[in-house]
Amino acid sequence: MSAVDESRLQISRALVSVSDKTGVAEFAAALSERGVELLSTGGTAKALRDAGLEVRDVADVTGFPEMMGGRVKTLHPKIHGGILADRDNADHREALSENDIPVIDLLVVNLYPFEKTLARGADYRECVENIDIGGPAMVRAAAKNHAHIAVVTDTEDYEVLLEELSAGGVTLKTRQYLAQKAFSLTAAYDAMISAWLAEETAQDFPDRVALSGARQSVLRYGENPHQAAAVYRSNETRPGVVSAEIVQGKALSYNNLNDTDAAFELVSDLDRDKPAVAIIKHANPCGVAYGETLEEAYSLAHRCDPVSAFGGVIALNGEIDGETAACITSIFTEVVIAPSANAEAIEIFRKKKNLRLLLTGALPPQSAKRMLMRPIAGGFLVQTNDDFRVDENALSVVTKRQPSDREVRDLLFAFQVAKHVKSNAIVYAKDGATVGVGAGQMSRVDASRIAAQKSADAAETAGLPEPMVKGSVVASDAFFPFADGLLAAANAGATAVIQPGGSVRDEEVIAAANEADLA
């Protein structure tokens, strides 16, 4: 680094051109009070003049007026030369002098609001017009030349820069920090535009994928205490855990966020014509149920596995009322997430200061296509979201006995829940509620047995005369490779089974089902 780089940068001239004018007049006034000459364009120049500040138009510097509806105004050597010049290079200094190019020490730019334009459903042409060109070009130029110029792209950094100037000038460390933010901004901006165009042109898997996110918060730690973690917000507008209003409670942990997302996605995937509740522990459901009310749905979901539900995450698909809140707060709960809660419910939750209450404002659309990503060594996997829903009319009954209407309803429900259970997954359900869940087992037989044992334990806790799994139906997330897993479910008390089929031993499994009088 040169001597200039190591010293504090003095600001004598600033180019200010922003679409988000929050605080810009006050910031520019503070610069002007320090003797900084202000250059500006269009609406920003007007806003500064309206605030009583003296401003020089960029057009006066370039000798060209703004043209083509503002598409061309700063794309000129007299602007980019003043931004990019290496002040330590004699040739650069000579070029500045010969061409009467004013040096720019500070660039203050934020970009056209493409994200907001897209979010409000603007048409294709308006979105294109809100793709900024001159702004990113200047920002990248200033960020590259951070040895000699400071670049501010975030209104939150106005105060940072003024504090630096009050201390004698902008340090190299601060200029590097601002440059990093600038490159992050332009990278995220282009990634957003690229993703939008890929969607507009129906490219599920374009040749290149650019990911971007804005840091929402640094977490205390990751999945384990020795791991660092943070949560980033993407451009996705889907209602959920990241966008939710945190009404109360301490900061969410990495595991809280993971479990809360799993819970809300599950309950959002269920039928919406009746109240539903999902209770999650370690990203797996330990109870899911429909009810006539949310209170009833919660009680049925909790009954499935009350031991695991302790300290769990609860998701509801409607507005929480006082009765439901009172029921939920009767045991220790980490997080509650729902579209809304009434005043009585919020007041009840307030009595549990450590309980986090998240309100999303809405349920996400069930039909929205999403791309899901998972990192692997050297890259990442991408797949479409699992939006599969079983059509009752498309069911194929392969046994002698036909399922009853009640069994069909419970089979469809159990299979929908199984989608959200780590494989190998087995879900027992009865009367619109899970009564046993076996998750994440290497053997499907073990998943069947564990789910049945949990059902027996829950029945004993509830003082019921027999395991709840008796007379239930069972869903398997994949085919039964052998008859033993299916027979384990039958021995537990299941009367009907739903599974994808496709095993080379399907006939053997079907024969065993017929022998056990399963549907």
Side-chain angles (χ1 to χ4, degrees):
M1 286 289 181
S2 70
V4 173
D5 296 332
E6 296 293 348
S7 66
R8 287 181 177 267
L9 175 69
Q10 305 302 312
I11 307 295
S12 60
R13 184 176 294 108
L15 196 166
V16 184
S17 181
V18 294
S19 60
D20 179 1
K21 295 177 176 56
T22 305
V24 71
E26 295 81 2
F27 178 57
L31 293 175
S32 183
E33 288 171 5
R34 289 169 167 80
V36 176
E37 180 187 7
L38 302 174
L39 306 181
S40 193
T41 61
T44 305
K46 181 180 184 303
L48 298 184
R49 289 193 180 101
D50 288 346
L53 299 174
E54 185 175 339
V55 181
R56 184 182 181 190
D57 284 318
V58 162
D60 291 340
V61 176
T62 63
F64 280 85
E66 291 186 20
M67 60 182 69
M68 301 178 187
R71 283 192 174 195
V72 179
K73 49 191 172 185
T74 59
L75 296 169
H76 194 281
K78 285 202 171 184
I79 297 301
H80 283 268
I83 293 172
L84 278 167
D86 180 350
R87 322 284 174 83
D88 295 335
N89 187 307
D91 290 340
H92 288 204
R93 293 197 301 271
E94 183 178 352
L96 290 171
S97 177
E98 288 180 352
N99 294 283
D100 193 26
I101 298 174
V103 166
I104 296 171
D105 307 302
L106 171 64
L107 179 72
V108 183
V109 168
N110 51 57
L111 309 180
Y112 289 176
F114 179 84
E115 181 177 7
K116 290 181 179 178
T117 304
L118 188 62
R120 63 180 170 79
D123 62 24
Y124 186 89
R125 182 174 179 80
E126 187 177 356
C127 287
V128 168
E129 286 305 313
N130 275 275
I131 297 175
D132 203 333
I133 301 301
M138 288 193 295
V139 166
R140 295 185 80 254
K144 173 179 178 175
N145 200 31
H146 62 267
H148 304 285
I149 180 173
V151 54
V152 175
T153 58
D154 186 346
T155 59
E156 296 294 322
D157 289 323
Y158 290 169
E159 193 60 37
V160 172
L161 192 107
L162 293 176
E163 288 175 0
E164 289 274 288
L165 292 179
S166 296
V170 188
T171 63
L172 174 62
K173 183 177 181 180
T174 296
R175 299 196 306 270
Q176 289 171 326
Y177 157 77
L178 293 171
Q180 185 276 326
K181 286 190 72 169
F183 280 123
S184 294
L185 171 66
T186 56
Y189 196 75
D190 284 343
M192 190 188 336
I193 296 165
S194 171
W196 168 68
L197 280 171
E199 185 175 344
E200 286 290 319
T201 53
Q203 297 180 62
D204 285 340
F205 303 103
D207 291 342
R208 283 185 179 273
V209 173
L211 307 178
S212 70
R215 192 183 69 203
Q216 183 158 297
S217 62
V218 175
L219 305 175
R220 284 186 299 155
Y221 53 83
E223 188 172 357
N224 296 294
H226 60 273
Q227 294 174 270
V231 57
Y232 285 78
R233 183 168 187 162
S234 71
N235 298 319
E236 187 179 32
T237 57
R238 184 179 180 85
V241 63
V242 172
S243 63
E245 175 193 2
I246 302 177
V247 177
Q248 69 164 58
K250 58 186 180 180
L252 292 155
S253 71
Y254 179 96
N255 291 326
N256 289 153
L257 288 162
N258 194 45
D259 286 355
T260 305
D261 180 66
F264 195 63
E265 287 299 313
L266 195 167
V267 82
S268 298
D269 200 29
L270 300 176
D271 292 341
R272 299 183 177 184
D273 57 353
K274 45 193 168 184
V277 170
I279 306 174
I280 295 286
K281 196 73 169 288
H282 300 300
N284 273 303
C286 51
V288 184
Y290 291 122
E292 292 300 318
T293 64
L294 283 175
E295 180 185 9
E296 182 185 39
Y298 169 75
S299 296
L300 293 171
H302 180 265
R303 188 181 68 174
C304 178
D305 188 355
V307 174
S308 298
F310 184 84
V313 171
I314 301 171
L316 308 92
N317 71 348
E319 182 172 88
I320 308 173
D321 55 23
E323 292 80 4
T324 307
C327 199
I328 289 172
T329 54
S330 65
I331 67 162
F332 171 57
T333 298
E334 287 275 9
V335 184
V336 175
I337 185 169
S340 60
N342 67 22
E344 182 185 3
I346 290 173
E347 193 59 37
I348 291 171
F349 284 129
R350 280 204 182 106
K351 297 174 184 176
K352 299 288 184 179
K353 294 183 179 179
N354 289 332
L355 182 149
R356 292 87 153 188
L357 175 61
L358 279 68
L359 301 180
T360 63
L363 294 170
Q366 291 178 324
S367 58
K369 186 176 71 172
R370 306 168 68 206
M371 304 306 290
L372 307 180
M373 302 181 183
R374 178 182 175 183
I376 57 175
F380 50 89
L381 300 171
V382 181
Q383 68 173 346
T384 57
N385 58 307
D386 185 357
D387 60 356
F388 178 72
R389 303 184 73 81
V390 180
D391 180 357
E392 180 179 346
N393 298 319
L395 292 176
S396 175
V397 180
V398 295
T399 52
K400 294 177 181 176
R401 185 172 79 79
Q402 296 285 314
S404 67
D405 290 343
R406 180 193 67 81
E407 286 174 325
V408 168
R409 286 194 299 272
D410 284 338
L411 288 168
L412 294 173
F413 166 71
F415 198 70
Q416 201 67 17
V417 172
K419 185 169 85 174
H420 297 267
V421 180
K422 298 293 184 292
S423 192
N424 284 320
I426 292 290
V427 176
Y428 294 95
K430 183 162 62 177
D431 297 327
T434 58
V435 293
V437 179
Q441 298 304 306
M442 291 69 74
S443 161
R444 199 160 295 277
V445 178
D446 287 344
S448 295
R449 291 171 177 163
I450 288 171
Q453 183 59 52
K454 281 183 170 290
S455 178
D457 294 343
E460 184 177 346
T461 300
L464 299 176
E466 63 179 9
M468 294 182 293
V469 75
K470 295 290 185 183
S472 69
V473 305
V474 65
S476 173
D477 67 335
F479 60 68
F480 287 99
F482 301 96
D484 52 359
L486 177 134
L487 292 175
N491 292 335
T495 63
V497 180
I498 185 169
Q499 52 104 35
S503 168
V504 295
R505 293 183 174 84
D506 267 356
E507 293 305 317
E508 174 186 325
V509 174
I510 292 167
N514 282 325
E515 182 69 21
D517 196 31
L518 295 173

